[in-house]
mmCIF file of all heavy atoms in Angstrom:
data_model
loop_
_atom_site.group_PDB
_atom_site.id
_atom_site.type_symbol
_atom_site.label_atom_id
_atom_site.label_comp_id
_atom_site.label_asym_id
_atom_site.label_seq_id
_atom_site.Cartn_x
_atom_site.Cartn_y
_atom_site.Cartn_z
ATOM 1 N N SER A 358 -6.601 35.847 -16.596
ATOM 2 C CA SER A 358 -5.199 35.640 -16.200
ATOM 3 C C SER A 358 -4.993 35.824 -14.721
ATOM 4 O O SER A 358 -4.233 35.118 -14.062
ATOM 5 C CB SER A 358 -4.289 36.620 -16.961
ATOM 6 O OG SER A 358 -4.670 37.948 -16.721
ATOM 7 N N GLY A 359 -5.690 36.767 -14.123
ATOM 8 C CA GLY A 359 -5.533 36.995 -12.679
ATOM 9 C C GLY A 359 -6.047 35.830 -11.876
ATOM 10 O O GLY A 359 -5.389 35.395 -10.943
ATOM 11 N N GLN A 360 -7.172 35.286 -12.294
ATOM 12 C CA GLN A 360 -7.748 34.147 -11.560
ATOM 13 C C GLN A 360 -6.853 32.918 -11.767
ATOM 14 O O GLN A 360 -6.665 32.126 -10.861
ATOM 15 C CB GLN A 360 -9.135 33.864 -12.089
ATOM 16 C CG GLN A 360 -9.831 32.704 -11.365
ATOM 17 C CD GLN A 360 -11.220 32.446 -11.914
ATOM 18 O OE1 GLN A 360 -11.684 33.192 -12.789
ATOM 19 N NE2 GLN A 360 -11.853 31.407 -11.455
ATOM 20 N N GLU A 361 -6.311 32.794 -12.960
ATOM 21 C CA GLU A 361 -5.482 31.614 -13.285
ATOM 22 C C GLU A 361 -4.237 31.657 -12.375
ATOM 23 O O GLU A 361 -3.842 30.636 -11.815
ATOM 24 C CB GLU A 361 -5.060 31.662 -14.739
ATOM 25 C CG GLU A 361 -4.202 30.469 -15.146
ATOM 26 C CD GLU A 361 -3.778 30.543 -16.582
ATOM 27 O OE1 GLU A 361 -4.210 31.506 -17.261
ATOM 28 O OE2 GLU A 361 -3.013 29.673 -17.028
ATOM 29 N N ASN A 362 -3.629 32.811 -12.227
ATOM 30 C CA ASN A 362 -2.437 32.928 -11.384
ATOM 31 C C ASN A 362 -2.764 32.584 -9.940
ATOM 32 O O ASN A 362 -1.973 31.941 -9.244
ATOM 33 C CB ASN A 362 -1.845 34.324 -11.467
ATOM 34 C CG ASN A 362 -1.237 34.620 -12.834
ATOM 35 O OD1 ASN A 362 -0.882 33.704 -13.565
ATOM 36 N ND2 ASN A 362 -1.199 35.875 -13.220
ATOM 37 N N LYS A 363 -3.937 33.032 -9.520
ATOM 38 C CA LYS A 363 -4.359 32.762 -8.156
ATOM 39 C C LYS A 363 -4.539 31.244 -7.931
ATOM 40 O O LYS A 363 -4.133 30.730 -6.912
ATOM 41 C CB LYS A 363 -5.654 33.514 -7.855
ATOM 42 C CG LYS A 363 -6.160 33.320 -6.408
ATOM 43 C CD LYS A 363 -7.425 34.128 -6.204
ATOM 44 C CE LYS A 363 -7.912 33.950 -4.752
ATOM 45 N NZ LYS A 363 -9.165 34.740 -4.525
ATOM 46 N N GLU A 364 -5.105 30.578 -8.958
ATOM 47 C CA GLU A 364 -5.287 29.132 -8.839
ATOM 48 C C GLU A 364 -3.966 28.414 -8.820
ATOM 49 O O GLU A 364 -3.744 27.484 -8.086
ATOM 50 C CB GLU A 364 -6.122 28.644 -10.012
ATOM 51 C CG GLU A 364 -7.599 29.040 -9.929
ATOM 52 C CD GLU A 364 -8.375 28.574 -11.140
ATOM 53 O OE1 GLU A 364 -7.744 28.063 -12.077
ATOM 54 O OE2 GLU A 364 -9.602 28.745 -11.159
ATOM 55 N N ASP A 365 -3.017 28.909 -9.627
ATOM 56 C CA ASP A 365 -1.704 28.284 -9.676
ATOM 57 C C ASP A 365 -1.012 28.372 -8.316
ATOM 58 O O ASP A 365 -0.354 27.419 -7.874
ATOM 59 C CB ASP A 365 -0.833 28.928 -10.745
ATOM 60 C CG ASP A 365 -1.272 28.557 -12.140
ATOM 61 O OD1 ASP A 365 -2.028 27.568 -12.276
ATOM 62 O OD2 ASP A 365 -0.886 29.268 -13.084
ATOM 63 N N VAL A 366 -1.175 29.470 -7.656
ATOM 64 C CA VAL A 366 -0.572 29.662 -6.333
ATOM 65 C C VAL A 366 -1.120 28.666 -5.318
ATOM 66 O O VAL A 366 -0.421 28.083 -4.525
ATOM 67 C CB VAL A 366 -0.749 31.110 -5.824
ATOM 68 C CG1 VAL A 366 -0.303 31.238 -4.372
ATOM 69 C CG2 VAL A 366 0.020 32.073 -6.691
ATOM 70 N N SER A 367 -2.429 28.445 -5.393
ATOM 71 C CA SER A 367 -3.067 27.559 -4.448
ATOM 72 C C SER A 367 -2.798 26.071 -4.749
ATOM 73 O O SER A 367 -2.820 25.239 -3.847
ATOM 74 C CB SER A 367 -4.597 27.801 -4.454
ATOM 75 O OG SER A 367 -5.147 27.439 -5.720
ATOM 76 N N ILE A 368 -2.534 25.762 -6.019
ATOM 77 C CA ILE A 368 -2.330 24.359 -6.402
ATOM 78 C C ILE A 368 -0.857 23.966 -6.289
ATOM 79 O O ILE A 368 -0.530 22.920 -5.763
ATOM 80 C CB ILE A 368 -2.821 24.144 -7.830
ATOM 81 C CG1 ILE A 368 -4.338 24.244 -7.890
ATOM 82 C CG2 ILE A 368 -2.380 22.794 -8.380
ATOM 83 C CD1 ILE A 368 -4.934 24.190 -9.267
ATOM 84 N N LYS A 369 0.036 24.867 -6.722
ATOM 85 C CA LYS A 369 1.438 24.542 -6.776
ATOM 86 C C LYS A 369 2.115 24.951 -5.462
ATOM 87 O O LYS A 369 2.174 26.123 -5.132
ATOM 88 C CB LYS A 369 2.115 25.265 -7.957
ATOM 89 C CG LYS A 369 3.523 24.780 -8.251
ATOM 90 C CD LYS A 369 3.539 23.549 -9.114
ATOM 91 C CE LYS A 369 4.917 23.220 -9.579
ATOM 92 N NZ LYS A 369 4.930 22.005 -10.419
ATOM 93 N N ALA A 370 2.598 23.969 -4.694
ATOM 94 C CA ALA A 370 3.266 24.261 -3.420
ATOM 95 C C ALA A 370 4.712 24.633 -3.716
ATOM 96 O O ALA A 370 5.258 24.352 -4.766
ATOM 97 C CB ALA A 370 3.211 23.031 -2.535
ATOM 98 N N PRO A 371 5.366 25.324 -2.761
ATOM 99 C CA PRO A 371 6.775 25.657 -2.922
ATOM 100 C C PRO A 371 7.612 24.389 -3.162
ATOM 101 O O PRO A 371 7.357 23.353 -2.553
ATOM 102 C CB PRO A 371 7.150 26.299 -1.585
ATOM 103 C CG PRO A 371 5.872 26.800 -1.043
ATOM 104 C CD PRO A 371 4.805 25.833 -1.474
ATOM 105 N N LEU A 372 8.548 24.455 -4.092
ATOM 106 C CA LEU A 372 9.323 23.290 -4.449
ATOM 107 C C LEU A 372 10.193 22.861 -3.261
ATOM 108 O O LEU A 372 10.999 23.639 -2.750
ATOM 109 C CB LEU A 372 10.218 23.597 -5.649
ATOM 110 C CG LEU A 372 10.826 22.388 -6.360
ATOM 111 C CD1 LEU A 372 9.740 21.438 -6.860
ATOM 112 C CD2 LEU A 372 11.705 22.822 -7.526
ATOM 113 N N MET A 373 10.028 21.621 -2.807
ATOM 114 C CA MET A 373 10.714 21.125 -1.655
ATOM 115 C C MET A 373 11.747 20.045 -1.974
ATOM 116 O O MET A 373 12.538 19.651 -1.134
ATOM 117 C CB MET A 373 9.725 20.537 -0.653
ATOM 118 C CG MET A 373 8.737 21.549 -0.057
ATOM 119 S SD MET A 373 9.512 22.713 1.041
ATOM 120 C CE MET A 373 10.071 21.637 2.354
ATOM 121 N N TRP A 374 11.748 19.623 -3.246
ATOM 122 C CA TRP A 374 12.578 18.475 -3.631
ATOM 123 C C TRP A 374 13.340 18.715 -4.942
ATOM 124 O O TRP A 374 12.827 19.383 -5.818
ATOM 125 C CB TRP A 374 11.731 17.215 -3.779
ATOM 126 C CG TRP A 374 10.955 16.886 -2.576
ATOM 127 C CD1 TRP A 374 9.667 17.254 -2.289
ATOM 128 C CD2 TRP A 374 11.391 16.083 -1.477
ATOM 129 N NE1 TRP A 374 9.271 16.726 -1.075
ATOM 130 C CE2 TRP A 374 10.309 15.987 -0.566
ATOM 131 C CE3 TRP A 374 12.573 15.395 -1.160
ATOM 132 C CZ2 TRP A 374 10.390 15.311 0.637
ATOM 133 C CZ3 TRP A 374 12.671 14.691 0.029
ATOM 134 C CH2 TRP A 374 11.573 14.638 0.927
ATOM 135 N N GLU A 375 14.510 18.154 -5.041
ATOM 136 C CA GLU A 375 15.274 18.106 -6.297
ATOM 137 C C GLU A 375 15.350 16.648 -6.702
ATOM 138 O O GLU A 375 15.897 15.801 -5.964
ATOM 139 C CB GLU A 375 16.673 18.675 -6.097
ATOM 140 C CG GLU A 375 17.522 18.570 -7.344
ATOM 141 C CD GLU A 375 18.960 19.014 -7.123
ATOM 142 O OE1 GLU A 375 19.269 19.542 -6.037
ATOM 143 O OE2 GLU A 375 19.778 18.797 -8.047
ATOM 144 N N LEU A 376 14.788 16.356 -7.876
ATOM 145 C CA LEU A 376 14.793 14.947 -8.345
ATOM 146 C C LEU A 376 16.183 14.477 -8.655
ATOM 147 O O LEU A 376 16.958 15.182 -9.315
ATOM 148 C CB LEU A 376 13.890 14.822 -9.577
ATOM 149 C CG LEU A 376 12.434 15.218 -9.401
ATOM 150 C CD1 LEU A 376 11.670 14.976 -10.727
ATOM 151 C CD2 LEU A 376 11.760 14.430 -8.272
ATOM 152 N N ILE A 377 16.525 13.294 -8.205
ATOM 153 C CA ILE A 377 17.844 12.706 -8.498
ATOM 154 C C ILE A 377 17.882 12.214 -9.930
ATOM 155 O O ILE A 377 18.895 12.348 -10.631
ATOM 156 C CB ILE A 377 18.117 11.534 -7.525
ATOM 157 C CG1 ILE A 377 18.236 12.078 -6.095
ATOM 158 C CG2 ILE A 377 19.427 10.807 -7.935
ATOM 159 C CD1 ILE A 377 18.478 11.014 -5.049
ATOM 160 N N HIS A 378 16.766 11.716 -10.421
ATOM 161 C CA HIS A 378 16.634 11.299 -11.816
ATOM 162 C C HIS A 378 15.440 12.000 -12.435
ATOM 163 O O HIS A 378 14.382 12.099 -11.811
ATOM 164 C CB HIS A 378 16.448 9.790 -11.941
ATOM 165 C CG HIS A 378 17.492 8.980 -11.245
ATOM 166 N ND1 HIS A 378 17.302 8.429 -9.991
ATOM 167 C CD2 HIS A 378 18.757 8.627 -11.611
ATOM 168 C CE1 HIS A 378 18.374 7.795 -9.602
ATOM 169 N NE2 HIS A 378 19.283 7.878 -10.573
ATOM 170 N N LYS A 379 15.577 12.512 -13.633
ATOM 171 C CA LYS A 379 14.487 13.182 -14.302
ATOM 172 C C LYS A 379 13.335 12.246 -14.620
ATOM 173 O O LYS A 379 12.162 12.641 -14.587
ATOM 174 C CB LYS A 379 15.000 13.879 -15.578
ATOM 175 C CG LYS A 379 15.946 15.036 -15.340
ATOM 176 C CD LYS A 379 16.321 15.720 -16.630
ATOM 177 C CE LYS A 379 17.229 16.912 -16.372
ATOM 178 N NZ LYS A 379 17.602 17.611 -17.650
ATOM 179 N N LYS A 380 13.670 11.029 -14.969
ATOM 180 C CA LYS A 380 12.642 10.048 -15.299
ATOM 181 C C LYS A 380 12.632 8.924 -14.249
ATOM 182 O O LYS A 380 13.643 8.627 -13.586
ATOM 183 C CB LYS A 380 12.897 9.452 -16.685
ATOM 184 C CG LYS A 380 12.764 10.467 -17.799
ATOM 185 C CD LYS A 380 12.893 9.793 -19.157
ATOM 186 C CE LYS A 380 12.698 10.798 -20.285
ATOM 187 N NZ LYS A 380 12.816 10.142 -21.626
ATOM 188 N N VAL A 381 11.485 8.289 -14.119
ATOM 189 C CA VAL A 381 11.338 7.199 -13.172
ATOM 190 C C VAL A 381 12.214 6.024 -13.584
ATOM 191 O O VAL A 381 12.429 5.766 -14.802
ATOM 192 C CB VAL A 381 9.853 6.759 -13.113
ATOM 193 C CG1 VAL A 381 9.375 6.202 -14.454
ATOM 194 C CG2 VAL A 381 9.618 5.752 -12.001
ATOM 195 N N LEU A 382 12.759 5.326 -12.596
ATOM 196 C CA LEU A 382 13.600 4.165 -12.876
ATOM 197 C C LEU A 382 12.766 2.893 -12.770
ATOM 198 O O LEU A 382 11.871 2.772 -11.934
ATOM 199 C CB LEU A 382 14.771 4.076 -11.868
ATOM 200 C CG LEU A 382 15.770 5.226 -11.842
ATOM 201 C CD1 LEU A 382 16.894 4.887 -10.845
ATOM 202 C CD2 LEU A 382 16.329 5.504 -13.219
ATOM 203 N N THR A 383 13.038 1.950 -13.618
ATOM 204 C CA THR A 383 12.372 0.653 -13.620
ATOM 205 C C THR A 383 13.404 -0.464 -13.587
ATOM 206 O O THR A 383 14.567 -0.227 -13.932
ATOM 207 C CB THR A 383 11.446 0.472 -14.848
ATOM 208 O OG1 THR A 383 12.230 0.665 -16.021
ATOM 209 C CG2 THR A 383 10.331 1.513 -14.808
ATOM 210 N N PRO A 384 13.032 -1.680 -13.182
ATOM 211 C CA PRO A 384 13.995 -2.786 -13.131
ATOM 212 C C PRO A 384 14.606 -3.139 -14.490
ATOM 213 O O PRO A 384 13.949 -2.971 -15.494
ATOM 214 C CB PRO A 384 13.156 -3.955 -12.564
ATOM 215 C CG PRO A 384 11.951 -3.340 -11.967
ATOM 216 C CD PRO A 384 11.670 -2.110 -12.747
ATOM 217 N N GLU A 385 15.838 -3.583 -14.445
ATOM 218 C CA GLU A 385 16.484 -4.073 -15.642
ATOM 219 C C GLU A 385 15.814 -5.385 -16.092
ATOM 220 O O GLU A 385 15.184 -6.080 -15.312
ATOM 221 C CB GLU A 385 17.980 -4.358 -15.388
ATOM 222 C CG GLU A 385 18.784 -3.103 -14.996
ATOM 223 C CD GLU A 385 18.963 -2.153 -16.180
ATOM 224 O OE1 GLU A 385 18.802 -2.614 -17.325
ATOM 225 O OE2 GLU A 385 19.281 -0.955 -15.921
ATOM 226 N N ASP A 386 15.941 -5.693 -17.376
ATOM 227 C CA ASP A 386 15.296 -6.871 -17.937
ATOM 228 C C ASP A 386 15.696 -8.159 -17.194
ATOM 229 O O ASP A 386 14.867 -9.026 -16.916
ATOM 230 C CB ASP A 386 15.621 -7.005 -19.413
ATOM 231 C CG ASP A 386 15.001 -5.908 -20.249
ATOM 232 O OD1 ASP A 386 14.036 -5.283 -19.754
ATOM 233 O OD2 ASP A 386 15.452 -5.670 -21.383
ATOM 234 N N GLN A 387 16.986 -8.249 -16.865
ATOM 235 C CA GLN A 387 17.470 -9.451 -16.173
ATOM 236 C C GLN A 387 16.829 -9.598 -14.794
ATOM 237 O O GLN A 387 16.454 -10.706 -14.374
ATOM 238 C CB GLN A 387 18.983 -9.428 -16.050
ATOM 239 C CG GLN A 387 19.585 -10.705 -15.461
ATOM 240 C CD GLN A 387 19.234 -11.925 -16.310
ATOM 241 O OE1 GLN A 387 19.439 -11.956 -17.501
ATOM 242 N NE2 GLN A 387 18.687 -12.964 -15.646
ATOM 243 N N GLU A 388 16.657 -8.481 -14.070
ATOM 244 C CA GLU A 388 16.043 -8.554 -12.781
ATOM 245 C C GLU A 388 14.605 -8.965 -12.888
ATOM 246 O O GLU A 388 14.062 -9.707 -12.031
ATOM 247 C CB GLU A 388 16.146 -7.195 -12.055
ATOM 248 C CG GLU A 388 15.541 -7.233 -10.652
ATOM 249 C CD GLU A 388 15.751 -5.965 -9.855
ATOM 250 O OE1 GLU A 388 16.365 -5.008 -10.392
ATOM 251 O OE2 GLU A 388 15.334 -5.939 -8.682
ATOM 252 N N VAL A 389 13.912 -8.500 -13.894
ATOM 253 C CA VAL A 389 12.507 -8.874 -14.078
ATOM 254 C C VAL A 389 12.407 -10.361 -14.352
ATOM 255 O O VAL A 389 11.458 -11.032 -13.854
ATOM 256 C CB VAL A 389 11.889 -8.078 -15.281
ATOM 257 C CG1 VAL A 389 10.515 -8.606 -15.598
ATOM 258 C CG2 VAL A 389 11.802 -6.593 -14.912
#
Side-chain angles (χ1 to χ4, degrees):
S358 58
Q360 181 181 355
E361 181 182 357
N362 292 336
K363 183 177 180 180
E364 288 178 354
D365 288 343
V366 171
S367 64
I368 292 173
K369 192 83 171 181
L372 195 60
M373 296 291 296
W374 303 92
E375 178 186 351
L376 300 181
I377 295 177
H378 307 99
K379 291 184 178 180
K380 294 185 177 181
V381 65
L382 299 185
T383 56
E385 298 289 342
D386 292 341
Q387 185 58 52
E388 181 174 3
V389 172

